[in-house]
Amino acid sequence: MSVAKVISTIHEQTENGISEVYLVACGGSLVDMYPSKYFLESEAQKVVTGLYTANEFVHALPKRLNKDSVVIVCSHGGNTPESVEAAKVAKQRGAHTIGLTHNKEAGLLKYTDHPFLYEWGADSDVKNNPMAIILELVVEILNVTEGYAHYEAFKNGIQKINGIIVEGKKLVGPRAKAFAEKYRSEELFYILSSGASFGHAYGFAICSLMEMQWLNAAPIHSGEYFHGPFEVTDKETPFILMMNEGRTRALDERALTFLNKYAAKVEVVDAKELGLNTIADEVVEFFNPVLFYSILCVYREELADIRNHPLETRRYMGKVAY
Amino acid sequence: MSVAKVISTIHEQTENGISEVYLVACGGSLVDMYPSKYFLESEAQKVVTGLYTANEFVHALPKRLNKDSVVIVCSHGGNTPESVEAAKVAKQRGAHTIGLTHNKEAGLLKYTDHPFLYEWGADSDVKNNPMAIILELVVEILNVTEGYAHYEAFKNGIQKINGIIVEGKKLVGPRAKAFAEKYRSEELFYILSSGASFGHAYGFAICSLMEMQWLNAAPIHSGEYFHGPFEVTDKETPFILMMNEGRTRALDERALTFLNKYAAKVEVVDAKELGLNTIADEVVEFFNPVLFYSILCVYREELADIRNHPLETRRYMGKVAY
């Protein structure tokens, strides 16, 4: 079923319209949900949202969860126990569940009213990847429940974003190679961004660097940088700054000005330079993280390559009991 | 005015009751708000909440903000430009503003309908510090708008928490000294916790370690640890785990089991051992971060002392332009 059809079906089944949307997942899948949390918190006047790591959702279920709630759960392999459990407790509470996974045999599907089996891999159009699908789901929910003035502009952005990414990847190819060469021996990175992209600052830190490269890393919100974190800034510490298009760009620019003065190892990935501004001003900010995810994949591949540490290498995940 | 009086005054001024509570601040003051966000997201069925670093709030103002909203802004010195601006834009939108500061000359007060000049310092009762005051404010809002079944239990906890902390500080004195001795030469720490205390995992990382000690640090949610971050775990990397009392304790215990097996440098601060369970089960979890803040202050003082790096040392904050 299409995104629009799923949401209209759910909406018709609710008593008073969809009242809240819970975004529930773990790690990389949770990262894919952050732009949707940001979107609803920014744009909605009625619909409520909450973002939860699955095990916290299971153990500390929000009292607000009810029969008019939609719970979106995403799990790439589809069998993350706490994500499956989250869908289960959501259904027990009578909520509508939407499950996203890449695995058609996923345990998650057992507790999913509306499944989305998404595409994955470097060749897939990003609009068929979970970050964009979840964003489309919440945009649809907003539009159905209270109307969304920039619905058409958003839909237009969804059609454009993959093309922007294809060009952007070409542009950053050589500089990602230079980045990997320059930073190959570093042991720690700070990742800065703001707005819809803060989730991907977190994601690049915990998934791409910590999980896939066993490197130390931490996300810093560009707005928070000046209220504590910036005291670690020096000429030796590496920073990656993802500069957004849209309303929070001023926060990233302020961080850049400071970094240019007091740091020496600064890698900037700029959505403006990458051509994101061909998407309409009213919605462009929500597409930053979709762009950054794909662009930063180029960086992590070069880093993995030069460090002889393939992105698939794990010592604990899926290998030991936990 | 008392917390109860302020909230009833605001509530009477709204058209349909208080509909949302925005918690807006930067750095350490934002950390003080996290338990209140967690409380409302968990307990409320109608009142909506949002937590924002001030500059993001200013640049990407939520459309939901209206005349029935309460915006709580906290700034210790009271003149953080983006926090003052946040209160200003909130008032322009017609919202009710509550400002907390330690400075009676604060610029923040200019845009504050209801000011709280809070106590500060090692000798003050924690119930008069911002974290507890903000928590009391949101508990009062919940009680006034839709009723809170455990209101009396919460009030009872507020009366008890300082005594628990006084005893807890004595207990951890020697082990904080041993911690500082053992970890004096470390350059990076990961701070784990869950539930209401995740904000303080963030706070200890960005304020106590990054800002005050120029040490690298990152918070990790105990539930997220197993979905990426745990791949950096080894016998050399230090972890501080704050174990909560209450519903999310299971998440912290799972992290502890793993750390005990695969890490060697693990410092545990356990709310159960520190006697937090004399507070009623229904509300105990909301008091974890109040306890952890004060207890971890003992740790950071010992660390500052042994490293000859006083907690007040800054190279950028308040010293250079940014």
Side-chain angles (χ1 to χ4, degrees):
Chain A
M1 244 196 291
S2 73
V3 161
K5 183 74 188 145
V6 164
I7 298 307
S8 70
T9 301
I10 294 174
H11 192 63
E12 284 160 22
Q13 289 168 350
T14 57
E15 204 164 326
N16 302 300
I18 295 165
S19 52
E20 49 276 300
V21 184
Y22 286 105
L23 304 160
V24 184
C26 300
S29 294
L30 189 62
V31 169
D32 281 340
M33 294 176 156
Y34 190 90
S36 295
K37 164 195 142 74
Y38 178 84
F39 171 81
L40 281 180
E41 286 196 335
S42 168
E43 302 301 304
Q45 291 187 278
K46 292 179 193 150
V47 178
V48 176
T49 191
L51 178 85
Y52 285 81
T53 187
N55 220 10
E56 186 148 303
F57 186 79
V58 168
H59 282 83
L61 206 59
K63 289 205 168 60
R64 186 190 301 271
L65 181 68
N66 70 77
K67 289 179 171 37
D68 290 350
S69 306
V70 172
V71 179
I72 304 179
V73 183
C74 181
S75 170
H76 188 71
N79 293 310
T80 309
E82 52 266 56
S83 299
V84 175
E85 184 69 17
K88 184 178 170 185
V89 299
K91 272 195 75 73
Q92 283 167 347
R93 194 71 88 81
H96 303 264
T97 57
I98 296 175
L100 292 92
T101 177
H102 186 54
N103 173 15
K104 65 180 192 297
E105 310 291 336
L108 174 62
L109 299 175
K110 189 172 167 193
Y111 305 106
T112 294
D113 298 325
H114 304 279
F116 285 87
L117 283 162
Y118 60 75
E119 292 178 17
W120 196 242
D123 293 334
S124 62
D125 186 316
V126 296
K127 74 170 189 281
N128 301 318
N129 292 165
M131 202 191 295
I133 297 172
I134 298 165
L135 202 43
E136 280 210 85
L137 284 164
V138 301
V139 166
E140 200 64 42
I141 288 172
L142 186 67
N143 198 44
V144 155
T145 52
E146 55 188 90
Y148 176 44
H150 309 301
Y151 182 80
E152 289 307 324
F154 174 82
K155 285 288 187 188
N156 195 261
I158 282 283
Q159 294 309 318
K160 274 186 180 165
I161 183 66
N162 199 64
I164 295 167
I165 286 169
V166 169
E167 291 307 308
K169 278 182 163 180
K170 286 181 207 159
L171 184 72
V172 302
R175 67 178 80 161
K177 208 176 268 292
F179 165 87
E181 181 62 50
K182 182 175 174 189
Y183 294 102
R184 61 190 296 174
S185 301
E186 297 294 341
E187 293 177 354
L188 174 143
F189 292 86
Y190 287 109
I191 320 299
L192 274 78
S193 202
S194 65
S197 301
F198 177 66
H200 190 60
Y202 172 72
F204 193 74
I206 71 149
C207 294
S208 300
L209 296 177
M210 297 178 82
E211 176 182 337
M212 298 180 180
Q213 291 298 300
W214 306 357
L215 286 167
N216 293 309
I220 302 174
H221 192 290
S222 305
E224 284 283 282
Y225 176 58
F226 299 98
H227 301 283
F230 76 155
E231 284 287 334
V232 302
T233 307
D234 59 26
K235 304 289 186 189
E236 296 306 316
T237 305
F239 292 85
I240 300 173
L241 171 63
M242 294 183 282
M243 295 187 67
N244 290 273
E245 268 290 13
R247 293 179 297 174
T248 66
R249 184 173 181 83
L251 281 64
D252 305 325
E253 284 175 342
R254 186 180 175 205
L256 181 64
T257 301
F258 189 89
L259 287 166
N260 280 342
K261 192 158 183 184
Y262 297 103
K265 297 177 176 173
V266 183
E267 186 74 19
V268 175
V269 181
D270 187 347
K272 186 186 284 291
E273 188 200 11
L274 294 167
L276 197 66
N277 55 9
T278 57
I279 294 177
D281 287 353
E282 295 78 8
V283 297
V284 66
E285 64 182 311
F286 310 119
F287 290 92
N288 288 296
V290 185
L291 172 69
F292 289 142
Y293 172 75
S294 294
I295 294 298
L296 269 291
C297 278
V298 183
Y299 280 80
R300 80 180 183 194
E301 277 156 25
E302 292 292 351
L303 199 59
D305 197 40
I306 208 162
R307 296 182 73 242
N308 291 309
H309 186 112
L311 293 168
E312 302 72 26
T313 319
R314 302 289 182 278
R315 46 183 154 182
Y316 307 121
M317 191 177 277
K319 296 204 160 177
V320 304
Y322 51 87
Chain B
M1 245 198 290
S2 72
V3 161
K5 183 71 187 149
V6 164
I7 299 308
S8 69
T9 300
I10 295 174
H11 192 63
E12 283 160 23
Q13 290 167 348
T14 59
E15 204 165 327
N16 302 302
I18 296 166
S19 51
E20 48 277 298
V21 184
Y22 286 105
L23 304 159
V24 184
C26 300
S29 294
L30 189 63
V31 169
D32 281 341
M33 293 175 156
Y34 190 90
S36 296
K37 164 194 143 74
Y38 179 84
F39 170 81
L40 281 181
E41 285 195 337
S42 167
E43 302 302 303
Q45 292 186 279
K46 292 177 194 152
V47 178
V48 176
T49 191
L51 179 85
Y52 285 81
T53 187
N55 220 12
E56 186 148 302
F57 186 79
V58 168
H59 283 83
L61 207 59
K63 289 204 170 60
R64 184 191 301 272
L65 182 66
N66 70 78
K67 290 179 173 36
D68 289 351
S69 306
V70 172
V71 179
I72 305 178
V73 182
C74 182
S75 170
H76 187 71
N79 292 310
T80 309
E82 52 265 58
S83 299
V84 175
E85 185 68 18
K88 186 180 171 184
V89 299
K91 271 195 76 72
Q92 283 168 347
R93 194 72 88 80
H96 303 264
T97 56
I98 297 175
L100 293 92
T101 177
H102 185 55
N103 173 14
K104 65 180 190 302
E105 310 292 336
L108 173 62
L109 299 176
K110 191 175 166 191
Y111 305 106
T112 294
D113 298 324
H114 304 279
F116 284 87
L117 283 163
Y118 59 75
E119 293 177 16
W120 196 242
D123 293 334
S124 63
D125 186 316
V126 295
K127 75 170 186 286
N128 301 319
N129 293 164
M131 200 192 294
I133 296 172
I134 298 165
L135 201 43
E136 280 208 84
L137 283 164
V138 301
V139 166
E140 200 65 40
I141 288 172
L142 186 66
N143 197 46
V144 155
T145 51
E146 56 187 86
Y148 177 44
H150 308 301
Y151 182 79
E152 290 306 325
F154 174 82
K155 285 288 187 187
N156 195 260
I158 282 283
Q159 293 309 318
K160 275 185 181 165
I161 184 65
N162 199 63
I164 294 167
I165 286 169
V166 170
E167 292 307 309
K169 279 182 162 181
K170 287 182 207 159
L171 185 73
V172 301
R175 68 178 79 160
K177 209 176 266 297
F179 165 87
E181 181 64 49
K182 183 175 174 189
Y183 294 102
R184 61 190 297 173
S185 301
E186 297 295 341
E187 291 175 356
L188 175 143
F189 291 85
Y190 286 110
I191 320 298
L192 275 78
S193 201
S194 65
S197 300
F198 177 66
H200 191 59
Y202 171 70
F204 193 73
I206 70 146
C207 294
S208 301
L209 297 177
M210 297 177 82
E211 176 182 338
M212 297 180 181
Q213 291 297 299
W214 306 355
L215 287 167
N216 293 307
I220 303 173
H221 192 291
S222 306
E224 285 283 282
Y225 177 58
F226 299 98
H227 302 282
F230 76 155
E231 284 286 334
V232 300
T233 308
D234 59 26
K235 303 289 186 189
E236 296 306 317
T237 304
F239 292 86
I240 299 174
L241 171 63
M242 293 184 283
M243 296 188 65
N244 290 273
E245 267 289 14
R247 291 179 297 173
T248 66
R249 185 174 180 82
L251 281 64
D252 305 325
E253 284 175 341
R254 186 180 176 207
L256 181 63
T257 301
F258 189 88
L259 287 166
N260 280 342
K261 194 160 182 183
Y262 297 103
K265 296 176 176 174
V266 183
E267 186 74 19
V268 175
V269 180
D270 186 348
K272 186 186 282 292
E273 189 199 12
L274 294 168
L276 197 67
N277 56 8
T278 57
I279 294 176
D281 287 353
E282 294 79 6
V283 296
V284 67
E285 65 183 308
F286 309 119
F287 289 93
N288 288 295
V290 185
L291 173 68
F292 288 142
Y293 172 74
S294 294
I295 294 298
L296 269 290
C297 277
V298 182
Y299 280 80
R300 80 181 183 193
E301 279 158 25
E302 293 291 349
L303 198 60
D305 197 40
I306 209 162
R307 296 181 73 242
N308 290 310
H309 186 112
L311 293 168
E312 301 72 25
T313 319
R314 301 288 182 279
R315 48 183 153 183
Y316 307 120
M317 191 177 278
K319 296 202 162 180
V320 303
Y322 50 89

